[in-house]
Amino acid sequence: MLKTIMTVLALLPMMVAAQTVTSPNGNVTLTFSLTEQGQPTYEMSYKGKKVINPSHLGLALACDKHASKGMNETDLMEGFKVKDTQTSTFDETWRPVWGETATIRNHYNEMAVCLNQPTSDRDMTIRFRVYDYGMGLRYEFPQQNQLNYFVIEEEHTQFAMTGNHTAYWIPGDYDTQEYEYQITPLTGIREVIAKNRESYKNNSSTTVFSDTGVQTSLQLKTADGLYINIHEAACLDYPTMHLNLDDKNLVFESWLTPDAVGRKGFIHTPFNTPWRTILVSDDARDMLSCKLTLNLNEPCKIEDTSWIHPTKYCGVWWNMIVGTKTWSYTNDLPSVRLGQTDYKKCKPNGTHGATNEEVKRYIDFAAKNGLQEVLVEGWNEGWEDWFGHQKLDVFDFVTPYPDFDIKALNEYAHSKGVKLMMHHETSASTLNYERHMEKAFELMNKYGYDAVKTGYVGDIIPRGEYHYSQLTNNHYQRVIETAAKHHIMVNAHEATRPTGICRTWPNLVGNESARGTEYEAFGGSVPYHTVMLPFTRLQGGPMDYTPGIFETKLSEWSSNTSFVHTTLCGQLSLYLVMYSPLQMAADLPEHYEKYDDAFQFIRDVACDWDDSKYLEAEPAKYITVARKAKGTDNWFVGGKTDAEARTAVVRLDFLDKGRKYDCAIYQDGKDADYERNPKAYQIIQKTVKRGDVLKIKEARGGGFAISLMAK
């Protein structure tokens, strides 16, 4: 009896300090407490099931000559007392400029715990926002004499798992997300990373930092059927967060991307860190439909958004990726110098893709098929030595090659009702791009470009920096905000993974930031890749995945022996499954002309929506989604599966009651298979109504697409 009393008394300090906040419907419960040492701690449950075991919070600071005088470099971890606690409720419905739905509800209960560290007289607030489907937490630092400027050595935000969950993950890397997803127990991460370390180096820029490090958005599934997703929101003026696993105790801890000298962040108060987010449900469909990341970002900061528009486009790109065309104009030059190399004296190599003739062909194709824009890569001087030399002055972004008449081509495009899409590959020289950015955007304004695809292939310059450090993240944000002043939409490739910033800056219409279609020409991606990305990479914002490859066997039209690991109908499904307001018809015009009846779906499908219904979903297995086109009564449905054939069940309960629809079903042929017979498809026309049920067979690596046009 005495032993029991002593145990209770030992736990009393934590119990006294415990404070709880629940979600509006009571499903999610968040409890905050201080340990006996004054270390902030939280835990979380869903419908009575523990999701996060007690997990510590805090930041270790670095001793730096520019930091506040007398700062203890290791002491934002413990020794805190609760100074004040404030709770509140918030409920709004906001309208995104573009998105999966016309409106988004932002409804949460909030608890802000204001902490003071008596030994240093420093204040820090930890704010929790608890939703019916998860929660976000962040650190807030008010302006104060004892903590004004400081340097982060490491952020120690923990996520203590309740078991050896199934994890869907890619390795932690400061420079790239272009990996295939692994599916293992948490305790299996170490073995896979050790086995693949050498192969990871094949990417243009990689920095794998740990034997158990993974990237967010991290998808998990528990043995008792809970789906958990860990990510971050509103990563501004801060490094990108990874997660490092203590695989003995099953505890993840935040791991920030360092700068060139190892520092994790330079802070000036007042300052709020990004949100650390946890999404949870017993239904996998909620992982795709709940907008936690967007809701934790600030409202739109662009007053006039009329110039921002969802876009379908094609472009001079796939030929270069596959290898039948080149970005460079000549083979005569081993190196070039901006403003000095005279390309008019060089012999054209005959394989340059961005020629007047080729671009006009794409413009004609876009105009004929209702595509709004044409991307042209390799139009500007400098591609002869653009990569692999850590060259500072790579491109000037304004000087075209001799065979690209920028004025005439833009005039030709506009006469056809089409715009050209600009391409700015920086070769990861952020310094060079910032020097030239204003003039580059002014050139775009002059010729009527309203969208730019940026790229950051290679190691970052300033040398030693990483793609996801605080300095480089600030560069990406500077590009977005500068582009907004020029009414230019941005589609950033090789940039940091998105964290919902597109709510605040909706001219950020797309990112790559994952392994995209281009890898289908580099050996291919596993069939489950595209039914994994919506659970992970797309949590932070849409991806420019560049779907729509119809000639999936590349050897049939090139010397490339790779093949696309889906069926033709599987490619059509991606226009629904991989949500983006920016969708590319990525294959060659002549390939689409061979399958013109299937291409009709790409002509018809929207890329902006009033409503979306996830009908079926399981990570890395399958997704079926229905979307209602913006401002219409028309619906489109897409379904995608992994390497196992299945039958999708599409219940048309979302259609308007009493109305009939012309239904076109694009589905895999009877003997379709992504390896053996990828181009077998059939198109079924019928009339349907609300309440009807469609059962559609999906081949291995296959999928389907449906258009439902209201009568």
Side-chain angles (χ1 to χ4, degrees):
M1 182 69 178
L2 180 61
K3 184 177 181 181
T4 302
I5 294 173
M6 294 295 289
T7 302
V8 171
L9 290 174
L11 294 174
L12 195 58
M14 178 176 286
M15 294 172 65
V16 170
Q19 299 162 84
T20 297
V21 59
T22 60
S23 66
N25 71 358
N27 279 353
V28 178
T29 300
L30 184 289
T31 300
F32 172 84
S33 61
L34 292 176
T35 66
E36 289 183 339
Q37 293 75 37
Q39 184 166 20
T41 303
Y42 78 100
E43 54 190 295
M44 175 183 170
S45 63
Y46 175 77
K47 293 183 179 179
K49 292 182 179 180
K50 187 65 66 70
V51 177
I52 302 293
N53 280 331
S55 302
H56 296 316
L57 301 170
L59 296 94
L61 306 187
C63 186
D64 190 274
K65 64 181 179 180
H66 300 297
S68 300
K69 291 183 178 179
M71 183 182 71
N72 183 334
E73 65 271 19
T74 62
D75 195 19
L76 279 179
M77 296 293 297
E78 57 185 23
F80 287 101
K81 294 185 180 298
V82 175
K83 185 177 180 181
D84 185 27
T85 300
Q86 300 173 353
T87 59
S88 62
T89 298
F90 185 81
D91 191 1
E92 68 169 354
T93 299
W94 58 279
R95 301 184 69 87
V97 174
W98 44 261
E100 295 184 77
T101 56
T103 60
I104 296 175
R105 190 180 185 190
N106 187 16
H107 187 200
Y108 59 82
N109 291 333
E110 181 175 278
M111 179 170 68
V113 184
C114 305
L115 302 172
N116 177 260
Q117 192 179 50
T119 57
S120 64
D121 194 26
R122 297 176 189 152
D123 292 332
M124 177 178 75
T125 295
I126 302 177
R127 188 175 302 273
F128 300 93
R129 288 183 181 171
V130 183
Y131 293 79
D132 295 336
Y133 45 80
M135 74 95 177
L137 70 87
R138 74 180 181 191
Y139 304 90
E140 300 179 358
F141 302 96
Q143 191 172 56
Q144 53 194 298
N145 290 331
Q146 302 304 319
L147 193 65
N148 191 7
Y149 294 92
F150 62 95
V151 181
I152 298 173
E153 181 176 86
E154 190 58 79
E155 177 191 319
H156 294 285
T157 301
Q158 291 185 346
F159 305 86
M161 299 291 98
T162 61
N164 191 19
H165 307 328
T166 299
Y168 306 79
W169 59 276
I170 57 176
D173 192 310
Y174 298 149
D175 281 305
T176 186
Q177 300 107 10
E178 295 178 356
Y179 293 100
E180 286 184 328
Y181 279 84
Q182 303 289 331
I183 306 173
T184 69
L186 292 175
T187 52
I189 292 173
R190 181 184 297 273
E191 180 181 353
V192 174
I193 290 180
K195 180 180 178 181
N196 291 287
R197 270 192 176 273
E198 286 303 311
S199 65
Y200 291 159
K201 297 176 183 177
N202 293 335
N203 198 287
S204 61
S205 183
T206 58
T207 312
V208 177
F209 61 82
S210 166
D211 292 335
T212 57
V214 299
Q215 299 192 45
T216 69
S217 168
L218 172 67
Q219 181 66 46
L220 303 161
K221 185 178 180 181
T222 70
D224 58 354
L226 281 188
Y227 299 88
I228 304 168
N229 190 285
I230 303 174
H231 193 31
E232 63 178 326
C235 185
L236 295 162
D237 194 19
Y238 205 78
T240 297
M241 179 185 75
H242 306 270
L243 299 171
N244 202 47
L245 178 66
D246 172 353
D247 51 358
K248 291 183 179 179
N249 297 302
L250 301 180
V251 176
F252 282 109
E253 189 168 274
S254 58
W255 184 292
L256 304 182
T257 305
D259 67 4
V261 295
R263 299 301 197 216
K264 298 292 183 85
F266 290 79
I267 308 302
H268 176 198
T269 63
F271 184 81
N272 302 328
T273 70
W275 295 93
R276 280 60 188 99
T277 65
I278 303 171
L279 193 64
V280 59
S281 180
D282 49 17
D283 189 333
R285 295 175 296 179
D286 291 340
M287 298 291 103
L288 306 177
S289 61
C290 296
K291 302 306 173 191
L292 179 63
T293 312
L294 289 176
N295 276 332
L296 288 169
N297 275 267
E298 294 296 316
C300 179
K301 289 189 176 182
I302 302 174
E303 291 186 12
D304 174 19
T305 59
S306 60
W307 50 274
I308 301 172
H309 57 90
T311 302
K312 274 190 285 186
Y313 73 104
C314 61
V316 181
W317 173 76
W318 186 235
N319 258 332
M320 285 97 87
I321 296 295
V322 172
T324 62
K325 297 283 187 181
T326 60
W327 287 269
S328 60
Y329 171 78
T330 181
N331 297 334
D332 290 354
L333 303 171
S335 66
V336 298
R337 285 190 177 273
L338 292 179
Q340 297 181 31
T341 300
D342 187 354
Y343 281 92
K344 293 178 181 178
K345 296 180 180 179
C346 298
K347 178 183 176 182
N349 57 22
T351 58
H352 184 219
T355 65
N356 293 329
E357 181 181 4
E358 184 78 347
V359 174
K360 283 185 176 181
R361 190 167 73 91
Y362 278 82
I363 291 170
D364 291 342
F365 176 77
K368 178 182 177 182
N369 293 285
L371 306 179
Q372 290 83 42
E373 303 204 6
V374 175
L375 168 71
V376 183
E377 296 197 7
W379 68 276
N380 55 321
E381 293 183 356
W383 286 90
E384 284 70 24
D385 65 345
W386 73 284
F387 174 74
H389 308 293
Q390 280 281 285
K391 183 180 177 183
L392 177 62
D393 301 307
V394 192
F395 303 107
D396 66 8
F397 312 101
V398 296
T399 307
Y401 279 128
D403 57 354
F404 185 89
D405 189 329
I406 188 169
K407 181 176 184 295
L409 286 171
N410 275 285
E411 289 176 351
Y412 184 76
H414 296 163
S415 74
K416 298 276 188 174
V418 174
K419 290 186 176 182
L420 294 187
M421 182 181 292
M422 178 56 74
H423 182 237
H424 289 165
E425 174 55 62
T426 69
S427 191
S429 182
T430 60
L431 285 177
N432 182 57
Y433 192 36
E434 291 191 12
R435 289 205 305 255
H436 291 281
M437 188 164 51
E438 281 286 355
K439 287 186 178 179
F441 289 161
E442 288 169 2
L443 181 81
M444 290 178 63
N445 292 155
K446 177 180 178 180
Y447 289 114
Y449 291 90
D450 66 1
V452 60
K453 174 183 175 180
T454 60
Y456 295 88
V457 176
D459 295 334
I460 291 290
I461 300 175
R463 298 175 181 94
E465 284 289 332
Y466 299 106
H467 281 74
Y468 314 140
S469 66
Q470 181 184 30
L471 184 70
T472 313
N473 283 348
N474 287 350
H475 163 80
Y476 304 136
Q477 188 63 25
R478 190 172 299 114
V479 172
I480 295 165
E481 295 184 25
T482 304
K485 294 176 184 177
H486 289 268
H487 286 195
I488 290 170
M489 299 179 291
V490 177
N491 169 26
H493 281 229
E494 295 88 30
T496 190
R497 55 186 171 273
T499 57
I501 294 168
C502 56
R503 177 188 178 183
T504 312
W505 297 95
N507 66 314
L508 180 61
V509 292
N511 285 86
E512 184 189 37
S513 307
R515 185 183 176 101
T517 295
E518 63 186 359
Y519 277 85
E520 300 287 11
F522 309 152
S525 296
V526 291
Y528 67 71
H529 187 60
T530 49
V531 284
M532 193 64 249
L533 287 170
F535 288 95
T536 51
R537 159 63 186 78
L538 271 68
Q539 287 293 327
M543 179 180 177
D544 182 31
Y545 188 74
T546 61
I549 305 301
F550 281 10
E551 285 290 0
T552 59
K553 299 275 188 181
L554 306 185
S555 60
E556 293 182 2
W557 60 275
S558 75
S559 59
N560 192 317
T561 58
S562 188
F563 70 98
V564 182
H565 287 54
T566 67
T567 64
L568 186 151
C569 286
Q571 286 290 300
L572 291 181
S573 75
L574 300 182
Y575 291 91
L576 282 309
V577 171
M578 298 282 292
Y579 166 69
S580 176
L582 187 71
Q583 292 284 17
M584 187 180 193
D587 211 337
L588 311 185
E590 57 266 35
H591 295 166
Y592 289 131
E593 289 165 359
K594 290 169 60 177
Y595 308 97
D596 187 69
D597 57 348
F599 188 71
Q600 185 61 45
F601 182 79
I602 296 179
R603 293 190 192 98
D604 291 338
V605 70
C607 46
D608 196 18
W609 310 99
D610 274 337
D611 199 4
S612 295
K613 307 286 187 184
Y614 286 91
L615 309 179
E616 303 176 304
E618 180 65 22
K621 292 291 186 181
Y622 54 83
I623 296 173
T624 305
V625 60
R627 304 190 191 276
K628 187 178 184 182
K630 180 81 75 175
T632 77
D633 294 318
N634 301 327
W635 286 81
F636 296 84
V637 185
K640 182 74 179 65
T641 189
D642 62 359
E644 293 186 13
R646 68 180 297 269
T647 299
V649 179
V650 181
R651 302 182 186 279
L652 301 180
D653 299 337
F654 49 83
L655 298 179
D656 291 342
K657 189 175 182 180
R659 192 162 197 172
K660 293 185 177 180
Y661 294 78
D662 289 326
C663 173
I665 304 171
Y666 302 77
Q667 66 182 74
D668 294 322
K670 187 176 181 180
D671 56 350
D673 183 278
Y674 81 95
E675 291 180 297
R676 297 187 298 271
N677 194 15
K679 292 181 289 186
Y681 66 92
Q682 56 182 318
I683 303 173
I684 300 171
Q685 306 281 351
K686 61 195 307 183
T687 299
V688 298
K689 65 183 184 307
R690 178 180 177 137
D692 288 348
V693 178
L694 304 176
K695 294 184 178 181
I696 303 173
K697 291 184 178 180
E698 299 174 82
R700 294 176 63 244
F704 66 91
I706 304 173
S707 61
L708 296 156
M709 305 299 189
K711 289 189 173 184

